[in-house]
PDB file of all heavy atoms in Angstrom:
ATOM      1  N   CYS J  25      96.718  98.744  82.107  1.00 95.00           N
ATOM      2  CA  CYS J  25      97.186  99.094  83.432  1.00 95.00           C
ATOM      3  C   CYS J  25      95.985  99.532  84.271  1.00 95.00           C
ATOM      4  O   CYS J  25      95.188 100.341  83.807  1.00 95.00           O
ATOM      5  CB  CYS J  25      98.283 100.201  83.341  1.00 95.00           C
ATOM      6  SG  CYS J  25      98.752 100.886  84.931  1.00 95.00           S
ATOM      7  N   GLN J  26      95.913  99.067  85.521  1.00 96.00           N
ATOM      8  CA  GLN J  26      94.852  99.462  86.387  1.00 96.00           C
ATOM      9  C   GLN J  26      95.390  99.801  87.795  1.00 96.00           C
ATOM     10  O   GLN J  26      96.292  99.070  88.274  1.00 96.00           O
ATOM     11  CB  GLN J  26      93.784  98.399  86.631  1.00 96.00           C
ATOM     12  CG  GLN J  26      93.037  98.084  85.239  1.00 96.00           C
ATOM     13  CD  GLN J  26      91.827  97.254  85.506  1.00 96.00           C
ATOM     14  OE1 GLN J  26      91.030  97.538  86.372  1.00 96.00           O
ATOM     15  NE2 GLN J  26      91.667  96.193  84.701  1.00 96.00           N
ATOM     16  N   ALA J  27      94.971 100.882  88.377  1.00 97.00           N
ATOM     17  CA  ALA J  27      95.398 101.325  89.748  1.00 97.00           C
ATOM     18  C   ALA J  27      94.923 100.257  90.756  1.00 97.00           C
ATOM     19  O   ALA J  27      93.794  99.771  90.709  1.00 97.00           O
ATOM     20  CB  ALA J  27      94.835 102.668  90.074  1.00 97.00           C
ATOM     21  N   LEU J  28      95.807  99.944  91.691  1.00 98.00           N
ATOM     22  CA  LEU J  28      95.484  98.983  92.742  1.00 98.00           C
ATOM     23  C   LEU J  28      95.164  99.695  94.061  1.00 98.00           C
ATOM     24  O   LEU J  28      94.263  99.288  94.824  1.00 98.00           O
ATOM     25  CB  LEU J  28      96.635  97.974  92.952  1.00 98.00           C
ATOM     26  CG  LEU J  28      96.988  97.121  91.823  1.00 98.00           C
ATOM     27  CD1 LEU J  28      98.210  96.250  92.101  1.00 98.00           C
ATOM     28  CD2 LEU J  28      95.790  96.210  91.474  1.00 98.00           C
ATOM     29  N   GLY J  29      95.939 100.652  94.391  1.00 98.00           N
ATOM     30  CA  GLY J  29      95.799 101.376  95.682  1.00 98.00           C
ATOM     31  C   GLY J  29      97.150 101.777  96.221  1.00 98.00           C
ATOM     32  O   GLY J  29      98.163 101.643  95.551  1.00 98.00           O
ATOM     33  N   GLN J  30      97.180 102.272  97.375  1.00 98.00           N
ATOM     34  CA  GLN J  30      98.438 102.754  97.951  1.00 98.00           C
ATOM     35  C   GLN J  30      98.819 101.923  99.150  1.00 98.00           C
ATOM     36  O   GLN J  30      98.005 101.548 100.050  1.00 98.00           O
ATOM     37  CB  GLN J  30      98.280 104.208  98.504  1.00 98.00           C
ATOM     38  CG  GLN J  30      98.079 105.197  97.346  1.00 98.00           C
ATOM     39  CD  GLN J  30      98.127 106.647  97.836  1.00 98.00           C
ATOM     40  OE1 GLN J  30      99.002 107.377  97.543  1.00 98.00           O
ATOM     41  NE2 GLN J  30      97.100 106.994  98.648  1.00 98.00           N
ATOM     42  N   MET J  31     100.155 101.577  99.187  1.00 98.00           N
ATOM     43  CA  MET J  31     100.674 100.853 100.352  1.00 98.00           C
ATOM     44  C   MET J  31     101.341 101.891 101.232  1.00 98.00           C
ATOM     45  O   MET J  31     102.296 102.561 100.777  1.00 98.00           O
ATOM     46  CB  MET J  31     101.665  99.787  99.898  1.00 98.00           C
ATOM     47  CG  MET J  31     102.229  99.003 101.109  1.00 98.00           C
ATOM     48  SD  MET J  31     103.204  97.496 100.487  1.00 98.00           S
ATOM     49  CE  MET J  31     101.819  96.368 100.274  1.00 98.00           C
ATOM     50  N   ARG J  32     100.893 101.932 102.495  1.00 98.00           N
ATOM     51  CA  ARG J  32     101.477 102.931 103.473  1.00 98.00           C
ATOM     52  C   ARG J  32     102.649 102.275 104.260  1.00 98.00           C
ATOM     53  O   ARG J  32     102.626 101.134 104.619  1.00 98.00           O
ATOM     54  CB  ARG J  32     100.447 103.395 104.482  1.00 98.00           C
ATOM     55  CG  ARG J  32     101.022 104.295 105.564  1.00 98.00           C
ATOM     56  CD  ARG J  32      99.964 105.103 106.196  1.00 98.00           C
ATOM     57  NE  ARG J  32      99.508 106.200 105.231  1.00 98.00           N
ATOM     58  CZ  ARG J  32      98.666 107.096 105.509  1.00 98.00           C
ATOM     59  NH1 ARG J  32      98.058 107.153 106.761  1.00 98.00           N
ATOM     60  NH2 ARG J  32      98.322 108.027 104.630  1.00 98.00           N
ATOM     61  N   TYR J  33     103.776 103.084 104.372  1.00 98.00           N
ATOM     62  CA  TYR J  33     104.922 102.640 105.066  1.00 98.00           C
ATOM     63  C   TYR J  33     105.185 103.460 106.322  1.00 98.00           C
ATOM     64  O   TYR J  33     104.940 104.739 106.244  1.00 98.00           O
ATOM     65  CB  TYR J  33     106.132 102.735 104.180  1.00 98.00           C
ATOM     66  CG  TYR J  33     106.251 101.666 103.104  1.00 98.00           C
ATOM     67  CD1 TYR J  33     105.501 101.821 101.936  1.00 98.00           C
ATOM     68  CD2 TYR J  33     107.035 100.537 103.268  1.00 98.00           C
ATOM     69  CE1 TYR J  33     105.488 100.810 100.910  1.00 98.00           C
ATOM     70  CE2 TYR J  33     107.079  99.564 102.288  1.00 98.00           C
ATOM     71  CZ  TYR J  33     106.343  99.704 101.156  1.00 98.00           C
ATOM     72  OH  TYR J  33     106.400  98.725 100.209  1.00 98.00           O
ATOM     73  N   ILE J  34     105.586 102.862 107.357  1.00 98.00           N
ATOM     74  CA  ILE J  34     105.947 103.547 108.592  1.00 98.00           C
ATOM     75  C   ILE J  34     107.224 103.053 109.155  1.00 98.00           C
ATOM     76  O   ILE J  34     107.676 101.915 108.870  1.00 98.00           O
ATOM     77  CB  ILE J  34     104.785 103.343 109.717  1.00 98.00           C
ATOM     78  CG1 ILE J  34     104.609 101.866 110.019  1.00 98.00           C
ATOM     79  CG2 ILE J  34     103.505 103.929 109.229  1.00 98.00           C
ATOM     80  CD1 ILE J  34     103.615 101.581 111.160  1.00 98.00           C
ATOM     81  N   ALA J  35     107.924 103.852 109.912  1.00 98.00           N
ATOM     82  CA  ALA J  35     109.188 103.467 110.537  1.00 98.00           C
ATOM     83  C   ALA J  35     108.881 102.887 111.910  1.00 98.00           C
ATOM     84  O   ALA J  35     108.186 103.460 112.666  1.00 98.00           O
ATOM     85  CB  ALA J  35     110.156 104.641 110.646  1.00 98.00           C
ATOM     86  N   VAL J  36     109.605 101.802 112.184  1.00 98.00           N
ATOM     87  CA  VAL J  36     109.467 101.130 113.590  1.00 98.00           C
ATOM     88  C   VAL J  36     110.778 100.622 114.032  1.00 98.00           C
ATOM     89  O   VAL J  36     111.736 100.472 113.280  1.00 98.00           O
ATOM     90  CB  VAL J  36     108.479  99.924 113.465  1.00 98.00           C
ATOM     91  CG1 VAL J  36     107.057 100.354 113.017  1.00 98.00           C
ATOM     92  CG2 VAL J  36     109.011  98.830 112.538  1.00 98.00           C
ATOM     93  N   ALA J  37     110.827 100.437 115.311  1.00 98.00           N
ATOM     94  CA  ALA J  37     112.035  99.897 115.934  1.00 98.00           C
ATOM     95  C   ALA J  37     111.599  99.200 117.209  1.00 98.00           C
ATOM     96  O   ALA J  37     110.540  99.480 117.823  1.00 98.00           O
ATOM     97  CB  ALA J  37     113.089 100.892 116.227  1.00 98.00           C
ATOM     98  N   ALA J  38     112.446  98.259 117.735  1.00 98.00           N
ATOM     99  CA  ALA J  38     112.144  97.541 118.992  1.00 98.00           C
ATOM    100  C   ALA J  38     112.271  98.540 120.129  1.00 98.00           C
ATOM    101  O   ALA J  38     113.093  99.442 120.159  1.00 98.00           O
ATOM    102  CB  ALA J  38     113.112  96.423 119.176  1.00 98.00           C
ATOM    103  N   PRO J  39     111.371  98.355 121.157  1.00 98.00           N
ATOM    104  CA  PRO J  39     111.475  99.261 122.337  1.00 98.00           C
ATOM    105  C   PRO J  39     112.839  99.302 123.032  1.00 98.00           C
ATOM    106  O   PRO J  39     113.322 100.363 123.357  1.00 98.00           O
ATOM    107  CB  PRO J  39     110.450  98.682 123.285  1.00 98.00           C
ATOM    108  CG  PRO J  39     109.402  98.012 122.429  1.00 98.00           C
ATOM    109  CD  PRO J  39     110.265  97.430 121.261  1.00 98.00           C
ATOM    110  N   HIS J  40     113.490  98.151 123.158  1.00 97.00           N
ATOM    111  CA  HIS J  40     114.804  98.151 123.789  1.00 97.00           C
ATOM    112  C   HIS J  40     115.834  98.875 122.916  1.00 97.00           C
ATOM    113  O   HIS J  40     116.814  99.456 123.417  1.00 97.00           O
ATOM    114  CB  HIS J  40     115.209  96.753 124.119  1.00 97.00           C
ATOM    115  CG  HIS J  40     115.414  95.810 122.987  1.00 97.00           C
ATOM    116  ND1 HIS J  40     114.366  95.081 122.468  1.00 97.00           N
ATOM    117  CD2 HIS J  40     116.527  95.456 122.285  1.00 97.00           C
ATOM    118  CE1 HIS J  40     114.772  94.372 121.457  1.00 97.00           C
ATOM    119  NE2 HIS J  40     116.075  94.591 121.309  1.00 97.00           N
ATOM    120  N   PHE J  41     115.677  98.721 121.565  1.00 97.00           N
ATOM    121  CA  PHE J  41     116.605  99.430 120.662  1.00 97.00           C
ATOM    122  C   PHE J  41     116.483 100.979 120.855  1.00 97.00           C
ATOM    123  O   PHE J  41     117.426 101.710 120.882  1.00 97.00           O
ATOM    124  CB  PHE J  41     116.348  99.037 119.216  1.00 97.00           C
ATOM    125  CG  PHE J  41     117.171  99.704 118.222  1.00 97.00           C
ATOM    126  CD1 PHE J  41     118.440  99.276 117.871  1.00 97.00           C
ATOM    127  CD2 PHE J  41     116.753 100.921 117.596  1.00 97.00           C
ATOM    128  CE1 PHE J  41     119.214  99.917 116.928  1.00 97.00           C
ATOM    129  CE2 PHE J  41     117.479 101.608 116.696  1.00 97.00           C
ATOM    130  CZ  PHE J  41     118.728 101.126 116.362  1.00 97.00           C
ATOM    131  N   MET J  42     115.235 101.407 120.890  1.00 96.00           N
ATOM    132  CA  MET J  42     114.976 102.878 121.035  1.00 96.00           C
ATOM    133  C   MET J  42     115.412 103.391 122.327  1.00 96.00           C
ATOM    134  O   MET J  42     115.992 104.491 122.362  1.00 96.00           O
ATOM    135  CB  MET J  42     113.438 103.146 120.852  1.00 96.00           C
ATOM    136  CG  MET J  42     112.902 102.768 119.453  1.00 96.00           C
ATOM    137  SD  MET J  42     111.157 103.078 119.197  1.00 96.00           S
ATOM    138  CE  MET J  42     111.112 104.870 119.286  1.00 96.00           C
ATOM    139  N   GLU J  43     115.282 102.592 123.393  1.00 96.00           N
ATOM    140  CA  GLU J  43     115.729 103.086 124.711  1.00 96.00           C
ATOM    141  C   GLU J  43     117.252 103.178 124.806  1.00 96.00           C
ATOM    142  O   GLU J  43     117.805 104.103 125.427  1.00 96.00           O
ATOM    143  CB  GLU J  43     115.230 102.097 125.801  1.00 96.00           C
ATOM    144  CG  GLU J  43     113.770 102.103 126.020  1.00 96.00           C
ATOM    145  CD  GLU J  43     113.248 100.971 126.825  1.00 96.00           C
ATOM    146  OE1 GLU J  43     114.089 100.197 127.344  1.00 96.00           O
ATOM    147  OE2 GLU J  43     111.991 100.806 126.982  1.00 96.00           O
ATOM    148  N   ARG J  44     117.950 102.296 124.059  1.00 95.00           N
ATOM    149  CA  ARG J  44     119.401 102.300 124.071  1.00 95.00           C
ATOM    150  C   ARG J  44     120.016 103.304 123.110  1.00 95.00           C
ATOM    151  O   ARG J  44     120.939 103.960 123.495  1.00 95.00           O
ATOM    152  CB  ARG J  44     119.945 100.872 123.838  1.00 95.00           C
ATOM    153  CG  ARG J  44     121.433 100.785 123.825  1.00 95.00           C
ATOM    154  CD  ARG J  44     121.842  99.322 123.665  1.00 95.00           C
ATOM    155  NE  ARG J  44     123.388  99.254 123.597  1.00 95.00           N
ATOM    156  CZ  ARG J  44     124.052  98.121 123.425  1.00 95.00           C
ATOM    157  NH1 ARG J  44     123.426  97.032 123.254  1.00 95.00           N
ATOM    158  NH2 ARG J  44     125.374  98.181 123.353  1.00 95.00           N
ATOM    159  N   HIS J  45     119.479 103.294 121.889  1.00 94.00           N
ATOM    160  CA  HIS J  45     120.109 104.067 120.866  1.00 94.00           C
ATOM    161  C   HIS J  45     119.374 105.358 120.553  1.00 94.00           C
ATOM    162  O   HIS J  45     120.006 106.283 119.991  1.00 94.00           O
ATOM    163  CB  HIS J  45     120.190 103.270 119.563  1.00 94.00           C
ATOM    164  CG  HIS J  45     120.982 101.999 119.660  1.00 94.00           C
ATOM    165  ND1 HIS J  45     122.342 101.994 119.579  1.00 94.00           N
ATOM    166  CD2 HIS J  45     120.623 100.707 119.866  1.00 94.00           C
ATOM    167  CE1 HIS J  45     122.797 100.782 119.698  1.00 94.00           C
ATOM    168  NE2 HIS J  45     121.779  99.963 119.869  1.00 94.00           N
ATOM    169  N   LEU J  46     118.113 105.472 120.882  1.00 95.00           N
ATOM    170  CA  LEU J  46     117.385 106.691 120.567  1.00 95.00           C
ATOM    171  C   LEU J  46     116.606 107.190 121.801  1.00 95.00           C
ATOM    172  O   LEU J  46     115.421 107.430 121.776  1.00 95.00           O
ATOM    173  CB  LEU J  46     116.380 106.383 119.463  1.00 95.00           C
ATOM    174  CG  LEU J  46     116.934 105.824 118.135  1.00 95.00           C
ATOM    175  CD1 LEU J  46     115.799 105.398 117.248  1.00 95.00           C
ATOM    176  CD2 LEU J  46     117.747 106.943 117.453  1.00 95.00           C
ATOM    177  N   PRO J  47     117.335 107.455 122.853  1.00 94.00           N
ATOM    178  CA  PRO J  47     116.653 107.939 124.085  1.00 94.00           C
ATOM    179  C   PRO J  47     115.979 109.317 123.868  1.00 94.00           C
ATOM    180  O   PRO J  47     114.943 109.670 124.522  1.00 94.00           O
ATOM    181  CB  PRO J  47     117.732 108.068 125.136  1.00 94.00           C
ATOM    182  CG  PRO J  47     119.018 108.152 124.325  1.00 94.00           C
ATOM    183  CD  PRO J  47     118.739 107.360 123.081  1.00 94.00           C
ATOM    184  N   GLN J  48     116.506 110.113 122.892  1.00 91.00           N
ATOM    185  CA  GLN J  48     115.951 111.471 122.567  1.00 91.00           C
ATOM    186  C   GLN J  48     115.091 111.365 121.306  1.00 91.00           C
ATOM    187  O   GLN J  48     114.719 112.426 120.714  1.00 91.00           O
ATOM    188  CB  GLN J  48     117.037 112.478 122.459  1.00 91.00           C
ATOM    189  CG  GLN J  48     117.941 112.596 123.685  1.00 91.00           C
ATOM    190  CD  GLN J  48     117.174 112.953 124.884  1.00 91.00           C
ATOM    191  OE1 GLN J  48     116.288 113.818 124.840  1.00 91.00           O
ATOM    192  NE2 GLN J  48     117.528 112.338 125.983  1.00 91.00           N
ATOM    193  N   GLY J  49     114.884 110.115 120.810  1.00 93.00           N
ATOM    194  CA  GLY J  49     114.162 109.990 119.513  1.00 93.00           C
ATOM    195  C   GLY J  49     115.128 110.115 118.302  1.00 93.00           C
ATOM    196  O   GLY J  49     116.307 110.494 118.415  1.00 93.00           O
ATOM    197  N   LEU J  50     114.649 109.750 117.192  1.00 95.00           N
ATOM    198  CA  LEU J  50     115.381 109.884 115.904  1.00 95.00           C
ATOM    199  C   LEU J  50     115.319 111.344 115.465  1.00 95.00           C
ATOM    200  O   LEU J  50     114.174 111.847 115.354  1.00 95.00           O
ATOM    201  CB  LEU J  50     114.839 108.933 114.852  1.00 95.00           C
ATOM    202  CG  LEU J  50     115.676 108.739 113.555  1.00 95.00           C
ATOM    203  CD1 LEU J  50     116.985 108.029 113.901  1.00 95.00           C
ATOM    204  CD2 LEU J  50     114.827 107.913 112.566  1.00 95.00           C
ATOM    205  N   ASN J  51     116.439 111.904 115.158  1.00 94.00           N
ATOM    206  CA  ASN J  51     116.478 113.344 114.787  1.00 94.00           C
ATOM    207  C   ASN J  51     117.523 113.607 113.736  1.00 94.00           C
ATOM    208  O   ASN J  51     118.346 112.709 113.421  1.00 94.00           O
ATOM    209  CB  ASN J  51     116.643 114.220 116.060  1.00 94.00           C
ATOM    210  CG  ASN J  51     117.933 113.836 116.800  1.00 94.00           C
ATOM    211  OD1 ASN J  51     119.002 113.926 116.260  1.00 94.00           O
ATOM    212  ND2 ASN J  51     117.721 113.363 118.045  1.00 94.00           N
TER     213      ASN J  51
END
């Protein structure tokens, strides 16, 4: 077994989705 590295994950959404469903952000 050998270490490869770390894969970083981030949360994203479409701008129009955020404007409609998350005007105050995700909370």
Side-chain angles (χ1 to χ4, degrees):
C25 171
Q26 294 193 49
L28 296 177
Q30 294 188 112
M31 179 170 280
R32 172 158 291 182
Y33 286 81
I34 60 175
V36 299
H40 62 274
F41 176 88
M42 295 178 68
E43 290 166 6
R44 180 177 179 181
H45 297 281
L46 301 171
Q48 305 301 319
L50 191 66
N51 55 62

